[in-house]
Amino acid sequence: MAGSKVKQDMPPPGGYAAFDYKRNLPKRGLSGYSMFGIGIGIMVFGYWRLFSWNRERRRLQIEELEARIALMPLLQAEHDRRTLRMLRENLEEEAIIMKDVPGWKVGESVFHTDRWTTPLTEEIFNLRPREELLHKRFGFMWYV
Amino acid sequence: MPFVDIQSRLGINVDRWILLQSGEQPNKRPARCHAFEKEWVECSHGIGQTRAKKECQQEFEDFYECMHRQKTHRRLYAIRQQRDKMIKEGTYTPPAHHTGKGNVDP
């Protein structure tokens, strides 16, 4: 092996150029404290927006309640008129239906007192189709 | 002790509110049978159970009826049965507002 010129893979004459091999961990970006600060700042801004909107919603809710109070006499009067009308119709139909039944007193109250007793929904909707009673009882629900 | 009303003697009201529908209610909403119960309690107050059973029979019956509405339901059922019988015989036709096709005014 001595002296023979074999082609080997050798570095170029003058050696390789220099390259950086040291660690490169540059300090960049925000510090931890300022990132916390930005996060907390965004949260505080969010809370402020939430609280002021909640105050506004409370004012709107109060306005809705006031509107309900203002309308209540009208709605109650309408409802009462409707109830009385339906009870009157039921009474007249009962007189027609039960005229052949022996011992039946039309419009007899089941109570011993003669105070006004609020009629049940079943009493009001007795002679109507069942869907109307179900719609009155379960048609609109405030919660599910 | 049943013969010593401790709560009235001490002037406190610890649990008497839960015993009656006519007692203190949250949001001041009355029960459905408040009037009947109040009548019955006022009638039978202080006269003892034996006398109350005899003398307050009507108030008690009204209160019971308000709570359970058995007589009301029986009466409504009788009317409905008779109406269906008459419809089957053909002697009765329900008016338009009772068949769902009448105009629904408020």
Side-chain angles (χ1 to χ4, degrees):
Chain A
M1 179 158 126
S4 65
K5 292 271 191 238
V6 189
K7 195 154 173 54
Q8 281 182 333
D9 200 5
M10 295 299 281
Y16 288 111
F19 63 91
D20 47 0
Y21 60 93
K22 293 200 187 330
R23 295 171 64 180
N24 185 17
L25 301 169
K27 276 199 186 325
R28 60 172 295 187
L30 304 167
S31 69
Y33 290 121
S34 44
M35 282 199 283
F36 269 127
I38 289 177
I40 291 176
I42 292 178
M43 279 169 64
V44 165
F45 170 70
Y47 289 148
W48 169 80
R49 214 165 60 149
L50 184 68
F51 297 157
S52 55
W53 175 237
N54 276 349
R55 270 181 246 124
E56 181 64 26
R57 278 173 74 203
R58 190 178 295 275
R59 275 176 240 128
L60 295 173
Q61 177 70 7
I62 289 176
E63 185 181 353
E64 283 179 13
L65 292 177
E66 298 262 324
R68 173 180 173 262
I69 292 174
L71 286 176
M72 229 194 275
L74 174 70
L75 298 174
Q76 185 68 38
E78 280 186 357
H79 187 258
D80 289 345
R81 275 196 285 265
R82 181 166 186 245
T83 306
L84 288 176
R85 185 175 64 92
M86 293 170 89
L87 285 177
R88 181 78 205 168
E89 286 166 356
N90 282 357
L91 184 69
E92 287 164 6
E93 290 308 311
E94 184 191 339
I96 297 176
I97 292 173
M98 305 301 274
K99 64 180 181 313
D100 294 325
V101 177
W104 186 271
K105 290 189 262 314
V106 179
E108 173 194 25
S109 163
V110 292
F111 296 102
H112 295 113
T113 178
D114 53 1
R115 274 202 307 260
W116 168 257
T117 50
T118 310
L120 294 178
T121 321
E122 280 92 357
E123 278 183 65
I124 305 175
F125 284 91
N126 188 33
L127 295 170
R128 290 167 189 257
R130 193 165 159 75
E131 300 94 51
E132 291 191 16
L133 170 68
L134 295 176
H135 181 72
K136 178 76 160 71
R137 280 187 74 183
F138 306 115
F140 174 72
M141 300 179 112
W142 286 102
Y143 60 92
V144 194
Chain B
M1 286 147 283
F3 298 101
V4 178
D5 193 357
I6 296 185
Q7 295 190 34
S8 337
R9 274 180 141 240
L10 295 176
I12 52 177
N13 185 6
V14 177
D15 61 358
R16 276 178 303 175
W17 58 274
I18 57 178
L19 299 175
L20 286 180
Q21 288 179 20
S22 311
E24 274 284 319
Q25 293 294 333
N27 290 331
K28 303 269 184 268
R29 293 193 302 193
R32 195 163 78 166
C33 303
H34 174 95
F36 293 104
E37 191 185 22
K38 205 162 157 60
E39 293 275 300
W40 180 48
V41 166
E42 278 174 0
C43 165
S44 50
H45 173 70
I47 57 176
Q49 195 185 41
T50 330
R51 260 183 73 191
K53 278 199 158 94
K54 264 201 320 271
E55 297 174 18
C56 302
Q57 172 77 4
Q58 293 192 343
E59 281 90 351
F60 176 70
E61 273 180 11
D62 281 348
F63 178 45
Y64 195 86
E65 166 61 23
C66 177
M67 291 276 277
H68 302 280
R69 302 278 180 166
Q70 283 171 350
K71 298 189 223 172
T72 312
H73 285 141
R74 199 165 298 155
R75 199 184 148 84
L76 295 174
Y77 186 64
I79 296 176
R80 269 207 313 272
Q81 292 292 97
Q82 177 72 9
R83 178 193 68 161
D84 293 338
K85 191 167 83 118
M86 282 175 85
I87 288 181
K88 215 154 65 101
E89 290 168 4
T91 39
Y92 174 76
T93 38
H97 54 258
H98 279 168
T99 52
K101 288 186 259 309
N103 58 342
V104 197
D105 304 327

